[in-house]
Amino acid sequence: MPATTDKASVINKYRPGLASFEDVYRDIHQNPELSGLEVRTANIAASHLEGLNGFQVHRGIGGHGVVGILENGPGSTVLLRADMDALPHLENTNLEYASTKIAKDRQGNETPVMHACGHDMHTTSLMAAATLLHAARTTWKGTLICLFQPDEETAGGAQAMVDDGLYDTKRYGVPIPDVVLAQHDIALKAGVVALSEGPILTAVDSFEVRIFGKSGHISRADLCVDPIVTASHIIVRLQTLVTKEVRPEDFAVVGCASIHGGSAPNIIPDYVDIKISIRTYRPEVHERVLNSIKRVVHAECEASGSLEIKEPVFKNIMHAPPTINDPKHTAIVKDAFNRYFGDDSIPLDPLGPSEDCSILSTACGAPLVFTLYGCVDPEQWAKAVKEGKVNEIPQYHSAFFAPAIQPTLQTAVDAFAVSALTYLQG
């Protein structure tokens, strides 16, 4: 059961000076690494844990995953999770420590790289929280697990770590946690923490669809089958699925944000590739939308004559389950947040993005509590609220996404510490 020991006094006494961690944040931000390629970032995290006496550190789990285990007597086992990877995005923040990195992804394609989703803050805050909890170990009992996950952006890292034997006693033998605690920054006022029970983030399936045609000169389209026209009809038809086939009280998103085909203005190509993404909260809605997409694709291919050439090919490129906060344990952490953060502890409305961290909990039967914390400079936030321009504040995945280092970092560190100590103090 959660203890009643004063967490604020422990945190204020043992919280490390954050100036050095601010430097770590700037360094990681300036040197982002793409999904599955987090060599440098993983080494920073692992080396930090190895410098804290008592941590048993494992490297290279599921790629570049890092886990540190600190056993501190009998008690609960708590897993704190942060992700490390960045996005293939050109940064446009004009920060002094902005990324100018160009890197090759796992397919060998060169791309600019940017921390546009705050994983640099996640990594840094967990490093600082590990330092705090390590220094405060005379005040708590139990086992602390600090997990730094690779490849969240393509939703492959959590499953890869599990598949590599994260909880397998014959491999890494990470203890089964009593609770998994994860955090993410969000474009709210820095200093607030947001938490509610139930579905918080959506399930996602993204896939590439290849539509086939018959190539030839555009002046003799009568002799061809134009896959660009077929793909265009598919994309337009998909826009009706949510409004016509999903109940109004259910949430669903169907989108196509990528279409590639052809190389010249006068040549009808042999195929077109489109990328489709669906997001939902409820499994039955997800299944229905997925089946509807396949029905639409096949119907339009049949109407255009594409099916006579070849069946469309579906390739799944991303999958993650919904992120659902356990009601019982969310209430426990929420109460601790209310006591520590006061009015800055606020409810969390469900969001449209997706995460794969729930795999770390479902794989071992542990409950999940997923918290969001604000990262917008309080003065900037107040000005935006006054002017009615909150929606103009850059969100994650924006080229202009630039979290205020403070008080964001301290809030994230304290949130990790409060939630961990809720289970570990005794």
Side-chain angles (χ1 to χ4, degrees):
M1 293 292 292
T4 57
T5 307
D6 181 18
K7 299 174 186 62
S9 61
V10 172
I11 292 170
N12 288 324
K13 179 177 181 180
Y14 292 104
R15 184 194 306 113
L18 295 180
S20 62
F21 290 99
E22 292 174 17
D23 291 339
V24 170
Y25 169 78
R26 294 185 187 94
D27 177 65
I28 295 176
H29 185 92
Q30 200 166 33
N31 294 279
E33 294 174 300
L34 291 168
S35 301
L37 303 172
E38 310 90 344
V39 178
R40 184 178 185 274
T41 310
N43 184 61
I44 290 172
S47 297
H48 179 74
L49 293 178
E50 288 166 349
L52 299 175
N53 183 45
F55 267 99
Q56 177 187 354
V57 181
H58 299 285
R59 297 172 177 248
I61 306 177
H64 300 295
V66 174
V67 171
I69 304 167
L70 181 61
E71 296 179 341
N72 194 35
S76 298
T77 297
V78 174
L79 189 153
L80 306 182
R81 176 266 196 182
D83 41 14
M84 301 184 289
D85 53 331
L87 287 159
H89 207 358
L90 179 63
E91 181 162 355
N92 199 18
T93 62
N94 293 320
L95 294 168
E96 290 183 5
Y97 51 91
S99 168
T100 58
K101 294 290 182 181
I102 304 293
K104 288 185 177 181
D105 62 20
R106 285 178 286 186
Q107 290 72 46
N109 304 308
E110 280 199 347
T111 178
V113 190
M114 173 192 177
H115 269 297
C117 201
H119 297 189
D120 44 356
M121 184 64 72
H122 305 170
T123 298
T124 305
S125 62
L126 183 51
M127 290 169 58
T131 304
L132 187 160
L133 293 166
H134 178 267
R137 59 193 182 278
T138 57
T139 71
W140 59 268
K141 297 292 184 182
T143 298
L144 172 67
I145 304 167
C146 296
L147 184 149
F148 296 84
Q149 182 199 309
D151 195 12
E152 184 278 332
E153 293 294 354
T154 64
Q159 190 64 58
M161 293 186 75
V162 171
D163 291 344
D164 195 24
L166 178 68
Y167 300 121
D168 187 345
T169 56
K170 296 180 181 178
R171 287 284 286 164
Y172 301 104
V174 173
I176 301 299
D178 293 300
V179 64
V180 173
L181 304 169
Q183 300 184 167
H184 203 296
D185 53 10
I186 187 173
L188 293 172
K189 184 186 75 171
V192 305
V193 293
L195 178 62
S196 292
E197 67 176 59
I200 296 301
L201 301 174
T202 60
V204 61
D205 270 295
S206 296
F207 40 91
E208 184 176 85
V209 184
R210 175 159 290 186
I211 309 299
F212 293 95
K214 182 180 178 182
S215 62
H217 198 283
I218 199 167
S219 67
R220 292 306 308 271
D222 57 307
L223 302 177
C224 306
V225 175
D226 191 340
I228 293 179
V229 174
T230 305
S232 300
H233 281 292
I234 289 170
I235 293 168
V236 172
R237 178 71 66 180
L238 291 179
Q239 308 312 305
T240 68
L241 291 187
V242 174
T243 57
K244 301 301 182 185
E245 300 190 31
V246 177
R247 291 173 64 91
E249 61 268 28
D250 282 321
F251 176 89
V253 171
V254 178
C256 176
S258 174
I259 175 169
H260 291 274
S263 58
N266 59 348
I267 301 174
I268 292 174
D270 283 314
Y271 62 87
V272 169
D273 293 325
I274 61 175
K275 293 180 180 179
I276 302 170
S277 183
I278 65 176
R279 296 172 188 267
T280 63
Y281 292 119
R282 297 204 297 131
E284 55 269 35
V285 176
H286 201 85
E287 187 66 22
R288 179 173 184 178
V289 171
L290 182 57
N291 290 334
S292 296
I293 289 172
K294 292 179 178 178
R295 185 193 73 234
V296 166
V297 170
H298 278 83
E300 294 294 350
C301 285
E302 183 176 17
S304 70
S306 173
L307 279 187
E308 296 179 9
I309 299 168
K310 194 172 182 180
E311 290 269 342
V313 175
F314 288 77
K315 178 183 178 182
N316 193 288
I317 55 177
M318 180 186 293
H319 170 78
T323 302
I324 301 174
N325 275 344
D326 179 86
K328 174 185 174 182
H329 290 273
T330 297
I332 291 171
V333 176
K334 182 69 173 179
D335 180 67
F337 282 172
N338 290 343
R339 294 171 184 272
Y340 185 85
F341 292 104
D343 291 342
D344 284 329
S345 174
I346 63 174
L348 173 61
D349 293 327
L351 301 169
S354 305
E355 257 273 6
D356 67 345
C357 68
S358 62
I359 293 170
L360 298 172
S361 62
T362 57
C364 64
L368 172 70
V369 180
F370 188 89
T371 300
L372 282 91
Y373 54 87
C375 65
V376 179
D377 178 81
E379 291 185 6
Q380 179 188 359
W381 178 263
K383 183 174 185 290
V385 170
K386 182 178 180 180
E387 297 175 356
K389 296 182 178 180
V390 169
N391 287 338
E392 297 181 16
I393 294 174
Q395 303 285 323
Y396 30 57
H397 289 222
S398 165
F400 299 93
F401 186 69
I405 298 179
Q406 292 293 11
T408 306
L409 179 57
Q410 180 170 323
T411 302
V413 173
D414 288 5
F416 264 141
V418 169
S419 54
L421 290 171
T422 298
Y423 293 91
L424 294 172
Q425 278 189 333

